[in-house]
Amino acid sequence: MKDYNEKFSDFSKTSKELLDIKYALDNSSILAFTDSKGIITYVNDQFCDISKYNKEELVGKTHSIINSDFHPKEFFRNMWQTIKDGRIWKGEIKNKAKDGTYYWVDTTIVPFMDANDNPYQFVAIRNDITGKKVIEERLRQSEKQYMFLAHHDPLTDLPNRLRMIRTLEEHISANRKFALLFLDIDQFKLINDTFGHMFGDSLLIKIATRLKRVNQDDKLFISRQGGDEFVFILPFENHDEIENIALDILATLSKPFQIDEREIYISSSIGISYFPENGEDVNELLKNSDIAMYIAKKTGGNKYEFYNNEEKKSIIKRLEIEHGLRKAIDNNEFCLYYQPKVNMKTRDIIGLEALIRWEHPTLGLISPADFIPIAEQVGIINSIGDWVMREAIMKTIDLQNKGHHLRISINVSIVQLLQYNFVTKLQAILQEYHLPAQNIEIEITETVAMTHTEFILDVLHALKRLGVHLAIDDFGTGYSSLNYLKKLPIDTVKIDRSFVQDIHTNEVDIAIIDAIITVSHALKFNVLAEGVETSEQLSILKAINCDEVQGYFHSKPLPDTLIDLYLEDYKSIV
């Protein structure tokens, strides 16, 4: 359409010419005439169609009848002043129709002046742009939504890692003192593995909701780093305030969660670093608060720790172990050592316990106590466990071929047992090597037996049906009740070495071991004492009817090649 500014610039100021305008535009635009006082004198059919008013309802009224209250009063004051001064006004106006709906019009208002240059008539020519405005609004909303999604975690609606990093950069640039709190949910992987990822996601949503409540005064910036990790940024005023916030968070998350009609308790660990004391850039601050969090987790969890440079080295070593674990199997860095089990009456070796060792290329020989917990936390324990099962089964076959019909014991962690396919996997490996299940013994600790009791009990019964022997390791260090113990389908109770080491001087330890043996025999369990190192210990255990022993008195754990020689030599000695 032609530019109306040009169109009206040549018109003389006569009523006939206004009529000509009306006839020219009636069928192409939304048209309204208004007198010098702002009273509507004429509207065309298109105006009525869009406004939902008829002509009788509009003529004689002001344009306030279609006012949507969208525009500020200043908007209309400027419009009125422009046309009163004899100038053309152009703009976009949001109006309200009679039925309450809103519409947008692109509007040109042309003033007609009398001989004294005073306006006597205003012609408003409008074009419907509602569709265009709807599209623009959708685009704005899409952009707004995109920006929200780009900076927020879709699961919890908390700011995400990107937004957190930008916030950190803003604080650092402004040289504001602040504390960075790094939170990780203790044993969250175990929750996911046990109840499934949908359950875990539901838990994370509820955790985020509780964390938002901690931030009632909006001083805290809370974000989800990813997984089960959350980061908090808090302007630093004093250490007491930071500690109170950390305690508040721990207490908030320690209350039970209700998910899918299941009540679940969790704990969390928090690491705290300060800007600028513990780092002057984003990476250093995050790394140091992460290190502090690991220390909190390593020392039991459900607590907070401040960054301590002295402990940084041990965490770096831990990370080195974690990194090395991921390649250890492929690099053939693991090996099995074997420790004999001896029958007290016949003095025969009746089995071997397979014990994993790790020859790290730079750190040397690493104890299972140092790397197994890490393997459980980072999700590598199942691969390591599968490797141990295969190696132990192949060794059992090798020994049988050499005339040593021994049962080999394999230690299994709770993470392995909580796999829904653990029993099936073990059965498949036994079938692959054609080894009868009774040649293998599975050892679990007393603590494992007391965790997730119903599930573990089902797994143990399934293993028993498969034909493997079962043993409870480290007995006496946990809190199992006799009522629960009698339900376990086990063959052997292994008394922890802590009760054995002082039996030659401590009558209480003798009494405890004697009681364990009596109860175990009543339940038809075999009893093995661990950590036997002296002939005196051996004699006492024999006197109180212990069935089997294991320890340095007979042999320390030996590598593959040496255990073969030991078994041959032991045969000749006995």
Side-chain angles (χ1 to χ4, degrees):
M1 186 174 287
K2 292 183 180 179
D3 186 344
Y4 285 107
N5 293 353
E6 295 178 7
K7 189 165 195 174
F8 284 102
S9 63
D10 296 329
F11 282 137
S12 62
K13 304 158 188 172
T14 68
S15 297
K16 180 180 180 301
E17 286 168 336
L18 288 174
L19 288 174
D20 290 341
I21 295 170
K22 180 177 82 67
Y23 290 133
L25 298 175
D26 253 348
N27 296 321
S28 61
S29 300
I30 301 163
L31 191 63
F33 283 27
T34 307
D35 66 15
S36 61
K37 294 180 180 179
I39 304 299
I40 298 172
T41 59
Y42 169 81
V43 293
N44 66 354
D45 292 339
Q46 285 89 333
F47 194 108
C48 295
D49 289 342
I50 197 169
S51 70
K52 307 295 191 299
Y53 289 98
N54 59 44
K55 292 183 180 180
E56 288 74 18
E57 291 174 307
L58 293 166
V59 174
K61 304 290 194 316
T62 67
H63 281 274
S64 61
I65 192 173
I66 54 172
N67 188 2
S68 65
D69 292 324
F70 175 79
H71 304 281
K73 291 180 180 179
E74 188 67 23
F75 176 85
F76 293 106
R77 276 199 294 267
N78 291 337
M79 175 202 295
W80 187 248
Q81 189 61 51
T82 299
I83 58 178
K84 278 183 66 178
D85 290 344
R87 291 176 286 131
I88 295 172
W89 184 91
K90 287 178 66 70
E92 295 177 346
I93 304 176
K94 184 177 184 179
N95 289 329
K96 184 178 181 180
K98 184 178 179 180
D99 63 1
T101 59
Y102 294 92
Y103 63 94
W104 280 88
V105 285
D106 183 24
T107 303
T108 299
I109 304 176
V110 181
F112 284 80
M113 316 299 284
D114 60 20
N116 297 317
D117 281 337
N118 294 316
Y120 69 91
Q121 189 81 44
F122 303 104
V123 177
I125 304 131
R126 297 174 170 89
N127 291 301
D128 184 6
I129 57 168
T130 306
K132 170 192 161 189
K133 285 295 185 180
V134 168
I135 292 171
E136 288 178 354
E137 181 60 25
R138 285 177 182 169
L139 289 172
R140 273 195 298 272
Q141 290 300 324
S142 296
E143 184 179 6
K144 187 177 179 182
Q145 185 179 20
Y146 170 77
M147 292 303 294
F148 181 86
L149 292 174
H151 292 93
H152 286 76
D153 169 49
L155 182 67
T156 63
D157 278 347
L158 287 173
N160 60 12
R161 177 179 171 80
L162 177 62
R163 184 72 190 91
M164 179 269 297
I165 288 174
R166 289 188 177 175
T167 302
L168 280 176
E169 289 170 343
E170 289 166 7
H171 278 64
I172 292 170
S173 297
N175 201 29
R176 301 187 195 112
K177 283 192 171 186
F178 63 88
L180 182 67
L181 286 70
F182 196 109
L183 179 145
D184 185 87
I185 306 302
D186 298 331
Q187 298 294 321
F188 185 77
K189 185 180 185 305
L190 189 57
I191 294 171
N192 259 347
D193 291 344
T194 306
F195 303 115
H197 287 277
M198 289 184 68
F199 185 95
D201 285 349
S202 297
L203 178 59
L204 287 171
I205 292 169
K206 288 182 178 288
I207 288 170
T209 301
R210 288 200 189 174
L211 293 178
K212 291 172 188 174
R213 290 187 201 136
V214 175
N215 193 27
Q216 289 180 352
D217 57 2
D218 286 331
K219 289 183 69 176
L220 266 175
F221 173 89
I222 307 174
S223 66
R224 183 184 176 208
Q225 175 87 338
D228 60 320
E229 296 174 341
F230 297 84
V231 170
F232 307 80
I233 303 170
L234 180 65
F236 171 66
E237 294 180 10
N238 58 69
H239 289 282
D240 289 343
E241 182 186 19
I242 304 301
E243 287 188 276
N244 289 336
I245 289 287
L247 288 169
D248 221 3
I249 293 168
L250 293 173
T252 297
L253 297 185
S254 67
K255 296 171 185 174
F257 290 86
Q258 195 76 26
I259 300 173
D260 297 339
E261 299 181 358
R262 183 188 297 273
E263 191 174 71
I264 184 168
Y265 287 82
I266 66 166
S267 63
S268 54
S269 301
I270 300 174
I272 305 170
S273 63
Y274 288 110
F275 172 80
E277 293 94 324
N278 303 138
E280 296 185 355
D281 61 53
V282 170
N283 288 333
E284 191 175 8
L285 285 165
L286 283 171
K287 180 180 68 177
N288 290 340
S289 59
D290 193 12
I291 286 172
M293 182 273 293
Y294 270 122
I295 294 168
K297 197 175 285 286
K298 182 182 176 184
T299 52
N302 197 29
K303 62 189 294 190
Y304 65 87
E305 289 286 349
F306 291 96
Y307 171 73
N308 183 332
N309 194 46
E310 292 302 315
E311 294 177 320
K312 185 174 181 177
K313 291 179 182 178
S314 66
I315 297 300
I316 290 173
K317 180 182 177 181
R318 183 200 183 283
L319 293 174
E320 190 175 357
I321 289 174
E322 180 181 327
H323 178 72
L325 274 172
R326 300 183 187 278
K327 301 184 293 184
I329 293 178
D330 292 338
N331 293 344
N332 295 315
E333 294 170 10
F334 289 125
C335 61
L336 290 184
Y337 279 46
Y338 300 91
Q339 189 172 36
K341 299 177 181 182
V342 177
N343 183 287
M344 291 284 281
K345 291 180 181 177
T346 65
R347 294 172 58 199
D348 291 334
I349 294 175
I350 44 84
L352 302 173
E353 180 179 0
L355 299 163
I356 190 170
R357 297 290 185 266
W358 182 15
E359 282 284 357
H360 192 280
T362 57
L363 298 176
L365 192 66
I366 301 177
S367 165
D370 291 330
F371 70 81
I372 292 296
I374 298 174
E376 289 177 335
Q377 289 172 15
V378 300
I380 307 173
I381 189 64
N382 291 328
S383 299
I384 294 174
D386 292 350
W387 179 88
V388 170
M389 281 196 290
R390 287 183 177 278
E391 288 293 312
I393 287 170
M394 287 191 290
K395 183 61 181 176
T396 305
I397 295 169
D398 176 58
L399 289 174
Q400 288 184 350
N401 292 336
K402 294 174 180 175
H404 304 295
H405 297 282
L406 304 174
R407 181 181 296 121
I408 290 188
S409 300
I410 303 169
N411 293 282
V412 177
S413 83
I414 186 168
V415 177
Q416 291 173 269
L417 286 179
L418 289 174
Q419 293 180 90
Y420 288 101
N421 64 340
F422 175 77
V423 178
T424 305
K425 185 187 291 185
L426 176 59
Q427 184 178 22
I429 296 174
L430 288 169
Q431 289 174 349
E432 180 184 344
Y433 290 97
H434 306 290
L435 181 70
Q438 60 264 28
N439 290 288
I440 293 295
E441 183 174 66
I442 297 294
E443 290 191 17
I444 63 170
T445 65
E446 182 184 13
T447 304
V448 168
M450 292 300 296
T451 306
H452 304 282
T453 51
E454 290 183 15
F455 185 85
I456 295 298
L457 199 57
D458 288 342
V459 173
L460 294 180
H461 278 292
L463 287 169
K464 196 65 184 169
R465 287 193 296 271
L466 184 62
V468 302
H469 278 241
L470 298 173
I472 294 290
D473 198 8
D474 300 337
F475 190 81
T477 59
Y479 301 94
S480 58
S481 67
L482 293 177
N483 186 51
Y484 181 65
L485 186 63
K486 72 180 183 182
K487 296 178 181 178
L488 297 176
I490 58 173
D491 300 287
T492 300
V493 169
K494 296 183 72 175
I495 299 173
D496 187 70
R497 66 182 67 248
S498 60
F499 296 105
V500 174
Q501 60 188 7
D502 296 325
I503 55 174
H504 57 292
T505 58
N506 191 326
E507 291 184 2
V508 174
D509 283 342
I510 296 176
I512 291 172
I513 295 174
D514 191 14
I516 292 173
I517 292 172
T518 301
V519 171
S520 297
H521 284 169
L523 294 172
K524 310 300 182 187
F525 299 153
N526 192 49
V527 180
L528 180 147
E530 298 180 288
V532 178
E533 298 180 357
T534 67
S535 58
E536 195 172 2
Q537 292 169 339
L538 194 70
S539 298
I540 295 170
L541 290 167
K542 187 174 183 179
I544 56 177
N545 296 317
C546 185
D547 301 302
E548 299 165 7
V549 291
Q550 178 181 350
Y552 277 32
F553 178 80
H554 289 100
S555 173
K556 64 181 181 180
L558 297 170
D560 191 5
T561 51
L562 292 183
I563 193 65
D564 290 352
L565 295 173
Y566 177 84
L567 292 173
E568 291 297 328
D569 289 344
Y570 191 86
K571 235 189 228 184
S572 61
I573 294 171
V574 175

